[in-house]
Structures are given as C-alpha cells and as structure tokens.
Amino acid sequence: MEPLPTPTPAPDQPCCAPKGTAALGAEEAKRKALVFKALADPNRLRLLSIVRAEPSGESCVCDLTGPLELGQPTVSHHLKVLVDAGLLHREKRGTWAYYSLVPGALDDVAGILAQL
Amino acid sequence: MEPLPTPTPAPDQPCCAPKGTAALGAEEAKRKALVFKALADPNRLRLLSIVRAEPSGESCVCDLTGPLELGQPTVSHHLKVLVDAGLLHREKRGTWAYYSLVPGALDDVAGILAQL
C-alpha cells in the first residue's frame, strides 16, 4: 500500500489501482470456483435435474442410478460432491439416503455470476 | 399426445419413465457442463471479473497478467478456455489481443441453472 501522497484508501482498494486489478480476490475466487467444479460434470448436472424434477422434492439414491446408467458407487460419489458444494441436502432414512436441492443454492450460484 | 394404443416413444423418452428419469439428457448435459468447466477455476473467475470491471468494456492481455501474478502463457491459456466456452470475445489489434465479455453470456449460464 502506498502511503503517499494522501488519501487513505480502504485496505483492499489501493488508491492507484493498476489497470486490470482483479475485482475478485484470490481467496474469494478459489471459494467460488468450488461450486462451479461441482457443476462441471454432465452426470452431476443430470442428478440435479432429476432431483429438481421430482414432485416430492427429493429423490432416493435408489432412483438415481437407473437414469444415469451408472453404478451406485459412482452415483454416490457424484452426490457427495454436490452435497459438499452445498447444492444438495442428504438425509438418511432407513436403508436409503434421500437427496433434495438446498433451497436457494442454485440462485446463489447465479448470484455469483451476476456479481463477478 | 400419445397415439394409443400403440405409442411410439421418442428414442430418449421411454413410454414408461421410471421414477427419477433425467429431465436433462446426456448430450445436453455434456454440452452444458462445458461452460461450468470453464468457470471452475479461480484464475478464470478473476479474469472474467477484471474484464467485467473494466470501464471500457475490454481488457488488453497485457493488463491481465499483473493482477493474477501469472505468466502470459498461463493467462493466455485461461483466456482461450473462456473464449472457447463462449464467455469472452477476443479481438486482435496490433500487437495485443483485447478481451471483452460476450454480451448475455453470463446471463445464459444463469439460465442453465434456472432450467436444470
């Protein structure tokens, strides 16, 4: 931070910003990229699509393997990525796990794009 | 409307959809995942952020290396990914290439999320 000549800029807003200074900081960008990593897979997009289309608002993992033509371990891996990214909520009931969209999560991702 | 009694389902729409059938087809999902792959990198998010913040609406590649603290070949690679994904427009003028946001491209990505 240059102390001269005067005004006192906010810590993240240098007074003489070089052209091209990133509006998005490195740490924030790293955090925001995580959710796009979760979305950057066709099977995960399809899983979100299936769960969203379910009238009950949730899908049993047992209903998710068939449409994707993938084994349950692979589907479970993709579901875990979506849960870890905050896009899906997982609830274990009896034998099966049930997945639902985290309310507002996809809107939040759209918000990231709007505020880039 | 199904022409009963002998319905002829579309190839990707079986007549008796099992619970959980993907609303999003495999090919469409593959295509849509590409743009999220482009966004799934912190440096690329920062590049979009810099270009968007530029009052002139475009950034010279020579202004993009400094803020990211990356070499020009790396920055050029990331910019190419963003151009290939349809997010950035590239125009060569003289020595330098200039990058601008493709109008509506980020809104289109938000639209993908809304229509999953």
Side-chain angles (χ1 to χ4, degrees):
Chain A
M1 183 62 63
E2 297 295 336
L4 291 175
T6 25
T8 311
D12 57 343
Q13 290 186 318
C15 61
C16 311
K19 203 172 171 184
T21 290
L24 188 62
E27 284 307 310
E28 194 182 358
K30 201 181 281 185
R31 193 171 50 75
K32 290 184 170 173
L34 291 177
V35 75
F36 293 114
K37 279 183 185 150
L39 292 165
D41 180 280
N43 287 312
R44 291 200 285 272
L45 290 182
R46 298 184 82 198
L47 285 170
L48 288 173
S49 164
I50 296 169
V51 173
R52 187 177 233 179
E54 183 57 46
S56 69
E58 65 175 16
S59 297
C60 169
V61 66
C62 57
D63 287 326
L64 296 170
T65 51
L68 267 61
E69 299 178 357
L70 295 173
Q72 192 176 318
T74 306
V75 170
S76 291
H77 160 73
H78 286 310
L79 289 167
K80 183 177 185 312
V81 173
L82 292 168
V83 169
D84 290 348
L87 296 169
L88 285 185
H89 171 73
R90 178 184 189 272
E91 188 180 332
K92 189 95 192 295
R93 290 203 303 274
T95 310
W96 300 106
Y98 293 81
Y99 293 86
S100 56
L101 278 183
V102 171
L106 292 176
D107 292 339
D108 289 348
V109 180
I112 291 175
L113 294 170
Q115 291 160 27
L116 268 183
Chain B
M1 185 59 67
E2 296 295 341
L4 291 173
T6 50
T8 311
D12 58 343
Q13 290 185 318
C15 61
C16 310
K19 201 173 171 184
T21 290
L24 188 64
E27 283 307 311
E28 193 182 359
K30 201 181 282 184
R31 193 171 49 76
K32 291 184 170 175
L34 291 177
V35 74
F36 293 114
K37 279 184 186 150
L39 292 165
D41 180 280
N43 287 313
R44 292 200 285 271
L45 290 181
R46 298 185 82 198
L47 285 169
L48 288 173
S49 163
I50 296 169
V51 174
R52 185 177 234 180
E54 183 56 46
S56 70
E58 66 175 15
S59 297
C60 169
V61 67
C62 58
D63 287 326
L64 296 171
T65 52
L68 267 61
E69 299 179 355
L70 295 173
Q72 192 175 317
T74 306
V75 170
S76 291
H77 160 74
H78 286 310
L79 289 166
K80 183 178 186 310
V81 173
L82 292 169
V83 169
D84 289 347
L87 296 169
L88 284 186
H89 171 73
R90 177 184 189 274
E91 188 181 333
K92 189 94 192 296
R93 289 203 303 274
T95 310
W96 299 107
Y98 293 80
Y99 294 85
S100 56
L101 277 183
V102 171
L106 292 176
D107 292 339
D108 289 348
V109 180
I112 292 176
L113 294 169
Q115 290 159 27
L116 269 183

